[in-house]
Amino acid sequence: SASSVLRDPTMQRQLLAMKQQQEFQANVAKFTEHCWDRCDVKATAKMEAKTSRCIANCVERYLDASSRLSADLPNLLSRMADSRQQAPPSSAKTIWG
Amino acid sequence: SPASMDSLSSSGVGGGGGSDSDKRQILEQLQQQTALNLIQSLVNTSTEKCFEKCVPSPGGELATSEQKCVSMCLDRYVETWNIVSKVYGSRIARESGGGGGGSSGISFQ
């Protein structure tokens, strides 16, 4: 049966590997589009060295920023919970009101 | 050859029902579908970017210069993809302690 095929541990391992690969490719697609714009890649016969450096930096810095954000997230979330129990400061009204 | 219902119900080695060739076939089909989706995504995005870059004022037809631009643009987009794939792949390998050898990226030649 189909469900017993899916329960096979080898099958599950390979499906997991495929899922991870898919995630990798999806990220590559996302970074490519983003860094193409950011680095203003030109439609020329040859890519300039500064452009390929820019693309590499773009990816690395994006990942750095992403790690930074993930590291800060627990702190941010706990601060959000605290502010819900307090009255909003009057300065908030100035900004949003 | 397509898996028949009979072959799916016969037990194979490795636990669970279904023969090894059926499992292989399922994985191959999934792999193929994933690759197709990837190509689709690449084509859609690069078409959009290259149209933007090479055809600022769409006229009655695509000029020769515009066609050449689109062609070079696609080459550069694929080159960008390959750079990204390499940098991202290396970064992951570095961060997981250099383990899990082999590249999980696809690069386009």
Side-chain angles (χ1 to χ4, degrees), chain B:
Chain B
S1 59
S4 66
M5 288 307 290
D6 290 341
S7 65
L8 278 173
S9 63
S10 66
S11 59
V13 271
S19 66
D20 282 353
S21 71
D22 292 331
K23 291 171 193 173
R24 217 179 12 252
Q25 192 170 50
I26 290 169
L27 287 171
E28 271 169 22
Q29 284 175 345
L30 279 171
Q31 194 76 286
Q32 265 173 27
Q33 191 60 56
T34 303
L36 279 172
N37 292 345
L38 185 66
I39 303 288
Q40 183 96 68
S41 155
L42 174 64
V43 168
N44 287 345
T45 313
S46 62
T47 301
E48 187 189 314
K49 296 300 177 192
C50 294
F51 185 72
E52 264 169 35
K53 211 166 268 281
C54 294
V55 192
S57 327
E61 58 181 32
L62 217 55
T64 311
S65 59
E66 289 171 333
Q67 288 178 41
K68 282 186 183 153
C69 178
V70 166
S71 183
M72 289 190 292
C73 179
L74 181 64
D75 285 345
R76 302 289 70 75
Y77 198 86
V78 168
E79 193 176 347
T80 305
W81 180 291
N82 288 339
I83 295 170
V84 169
S85 190
K86 189 163 148 225
V87 171
Y88 183 40
S90 303
R91 174 78 174 239
I92 289 177
R94 247 185 356 258
E95 286 180 356
S96 62
S103 144
S104 54
I106 296 172
S107 76
F108 299 95
Q109 300 310 319

Side-chain angles (χ1 to χ4, degrees), chain A residues 12 18 36 58 80 84 89:
Chain A
Q12 289 190 344
M18 282 179 65
W36 171 272
C58 176
M80 281 170 72
R84 266 211 308 276

